[in-house]
Amino acid sequence: MDTTVFSTVESEVRTYSRGWPTVFAQAKGAVQTSEDGTEYLDFFSGAGALNYGHNHPKLQAALVDYISSDAPVHSLDMMTPAKRDFLQTFNDLILQPRGLDYKVMFPGPTGTNTVEAALKLARKVTGRQHILSFTNAFHGMTLGALSVTGNSMKRRGAGIPLTNSSKIPYDDYLGGVTTDFLWLERVLEDSGSGVDKPAAIIVETVQGEGGVRAARAEWLKGLSELCAKHEILLIVDDVQAGCGRTGTFFSFEEVGFTPDIVCVSKSISGYGLPMALTLFRPELDVWSPGEHNGTFRGNNPAFITATATLKEFWADDSFQKGQLAEAIATVHGALEQIAGSMEGATVRGRGLLAGLHFEDIEVAGKVAAESFRNGLLVETSGPDDEVLKLMPALTTPKAELERGMGIIAAAVAEVTGTDIAYRAGNGDLAGAA
Ligand SMILES: *Cc1c(COP(=O)(O)O)cnc(C)c1O
């Protein structure tokens, strides 16, 4: 495999290609194959952009049909049949059944684009500048999104002060020693606090990049009540946790609150094509035509695969209650077994945004590297890369999930020298040290 051009021509900024130094030539379902024919089971799923696996046959067929029909590919925000079908299907299958009355905005096609649109809209609606976000948050790489992101290395990359935002503690940041929102509640009620009233608070229900931390439902509910009481807009960044990743289409569905603004991207096209949405209450739709713009807001091939995805997986609750619920149970069952058989390991996350936290911050990186050697793509997350982050496709067959969990169990055993008891559902003992 010739990899010369990647190190001579491509920038030093490249990252995933360093941890997984192979050339991927084929990808189908849960498996990626390198040029030399080595197969890798994919527990990464494009950081959540491939929730339905690689090249799903029905989505692929819809895309190929569309492209060969000479229908428009690029259309800015002009009207096309592909966009009409997407808006109608999204409204009928996702918004209406969940009682969500949102306007749909197409910002640029990436996660950071929808976050920028959300922040801009919140400031415009409220006339306030300040935004609050949480410790260890990740919202993207452009300046506005970086200003609400936690990671110090990524923040430094901005090269200028990141202003008009402050960080507040995420759920469990203070380990329960302080009542949730005590400080926030006080400063918002105290006109002498010196803390400017924010336009919005932006939150991930599960922090993907920040260490697979899942907020408790009651904490999120408390946050939404506090926002409502003080007329602060609540933005949920569902870029990674949305589109089924946590077990429901939106990550906040079972928490029982309705955000004012929702950011969606990564898996909304269902196929790995760039696409993003910013959803908001109709009263917040104060944009003037063209006030927020972008060349790639009408990516018709993405509308086609997005519509096909919604019809295939979200037309009723059979996928959510069947295959998805079963996949979640398989992964969490295995994680509990692994964490239960060693000191200093805990299970993190929700649904198929799942993690294994190790007290020894070296372990997760070594486990990811060992897993790669054994044919599994799995990444790390958190400020010190101290969490093994598992994001298999929601459609991964049970046997493949168990095979992957076996590779992880064996890698943990190898790296830490502990006996890991992991028994896959089929009774095979996999990954014992
Ligand atoms: C990935 C991600 C983003 C940024 O998306 P990009 O497409 O990389 O710009 C924003 N928020 C969250 C929660 C993410 O996981």
Side-chain angles (χ1 to χ4, degrees):
M1 280 183 285
D2 186 358
T3 58
T4 319
V5 74
F6 301 108
S7 50
T8 56
V9 176
E10 192 182 355
S11 161
E12 293 303 316
V13 79
R14 66 194 187 280
T15 163
Y16 289 109
S17 59
R18 297 175 191 269
W20 296 327
T22 188
V23 182
F24 293 107
Q26 291 278 298
K28 196 76 180 171
V31 174
Q32 293 206 74
T33 310
S34 66
E35 265 180 337
D36 65 5
T38 312
E39 291 194 348
Y40 294 91
L41 183 57
D42 187 358
F43 270 25
F44 171 62
S45 303
L50 291 161
N51 279 1
Y52 312 93
H54 296 269
N55 287 306
H56 187 284
K58 285 201 180 153
L59 309 182
Q60 187 176 47
L63 180 61
V64 169
D65 283 353
Y66 187 77
I67 288 176
S68 33
S69 75
D70 284 339
V73 169
H74 179 265
S75 55
L76 289 137
D77 64 3
M78 287 177 254
M79 294 183 275
T80 63
K83 187 173 180 178
R84 180 170 56 208
D85 287 351
F86 171 74
L87 281 167
Q88 195 64 55
T89 307
F90 188 70
N91 197 47
D92 292 350
L93 299 186
I94 302 298
L95 298 180
Q96 294 286 347
R98 291 165 180 78
L100 295 170
D101 183 17
Y102 285 140
K103 292 294 273 300
V104 178
M105 169 181 179
F106 299 102
T110 70
T112 203
N113 293 145
T114 170
V115 169
E116 295 289 344
L119 300 180
K120 201 193 259 192
L121 183 65
R123 288 181 168 128
K124 184 175 163 70
V125 166
T126 60
R128 301 175 215 138
Q129 280 110 49
H130 211 68
I131 309 276
L132 296 180
S133 62
F134 290 96
T135 49
N136 289 301
F138 179 80
H139 298 291
M141 285 288 122
T142 50
L143 287 180
L146 262 187
S147 75
V148 290
T149 287
N151 187 290
S152 56
M153 185 267 273
K154 298 203 159 104
R155 289 177 67 85
R156 266 197 303 279
I160 56 164
L162 295 169
T163 56
N164 295 306
S165 72
S166 313
K167 292 288 161 305
I168 51 178
Y170 194 66
D171 190 13
D172 202 34
Y173 190 72
L174 300 171
V177 294
T178 307
T179 320
D180 298 332
F181 310 117
L182 177 63
W183 178 84
L184 189 55
E185 194 90 67
R186 287 272 171 85
V187 298
L188 290 173
E189 274 160 14
D190 178 2
S191 62
S193 70
V195 175
D196 293 334
K197 185 169 174 176
I201 300 182
I202 182 165
V203 67
E204 297 156 274
T205 63
V206 184
Q207 296 185 321
E209 303 306 301
V212 202
R213 295 162 209 267
R216 289 164 301 151
E218 59 267 33
W219 184 86
L220 288 163
K221 252 192 125 162
L223 177 66
S224 91
E225 282 159 13
L226 191 137
C227 285
K229 184 169 152 202
H230 293 278
E231 295 178 320
I232 297 164
L233 296 174
L234 181 57
I235 305 170
V236 167
D237 179 347
D238 232 9
V239 168
Q240 187 159 161
C243 300
R245 191 37 73 185
T246 58
T248 50
F249 188 85
F250 293 110
S251 71
F252 52 83
E253 277 174 43
E254 286 180 339
V255 177
F257 73 102
T258 305
D260 299 295
I261 305 179
V262 186
C263 299
V264 179
S265 182
K266 291 205 165 91
S267 268
I268 185 64
S269 84
Y271 199 74
L273 295 174
M275 179 170 171
L277 309 174
T278 314
L279 312 173
F280 37 82
R281 289 193 284 112
E283 312 86 86
L284 305 182
D285 196 4
V286 298
W287 294 114
S288 315
E291 191 179 3
H292 191 77
N293 225 326
T295 308
F296 289 104
R297 289 169 300 136
N299 185 4
N300 288 286
F303 295 150
I304 291 293
T305 55
T307 304
T309 299
L310 297 179
K311 288 182 173 163
E312 178 70 16
F313 295 101
W314 300 98
D316 55 39
D317 62 7
S318 57
F319 171 70
Q320 178 181 325
K321 297 218 162 120
Q323 188 179 6
L324 178 52
E326 200 187 320
I328 292 170
T330 301
V331 168
H332 279 266
L335 285 172
E336 293 295 347
Q337 286 185 54
I338 296 171
S341 52
M342 72 174 284
E343 287 286 311
T346 42
V347 180
R348 284 216 178 151
R350 192 150 67 82
L352 291 182
L353 182 42
L356 259 185
H357 175 266
F358 299 96
E359 259 166 26
D360 176 352
I361 62 171
E362 304 283 307
V363 170
K366 289 180 186 163
V367 169
E370 176 68 9
S371 298
F372 177 70
R373 279 192 285 278
N374 294 315
L376 178 76
L377 304 177
V378 62
E379 73 164 337
T380 59
S381 131
D384 297 309
D385 289 317
E386 73 282 18
V387 181
L388 191 73
K389 182 184 183 213
L390 294 78
M391 294 184 85
L394 316 184
T395 51
T396 311
K398 186 170 184 190
E400 294 288 87
L401 288 174
E402 290 177 343
R403 187 163 73 81
M405 294 312 301
I407 294 174
I408 289 172
V412 173
E414 169 75 24
V415 167
T416 62
T418 27
D419 275 345
I420 299 295
Y422 168 62
R423 193 175 288 273
N426 61 10
D428 290 344
L429 189 62

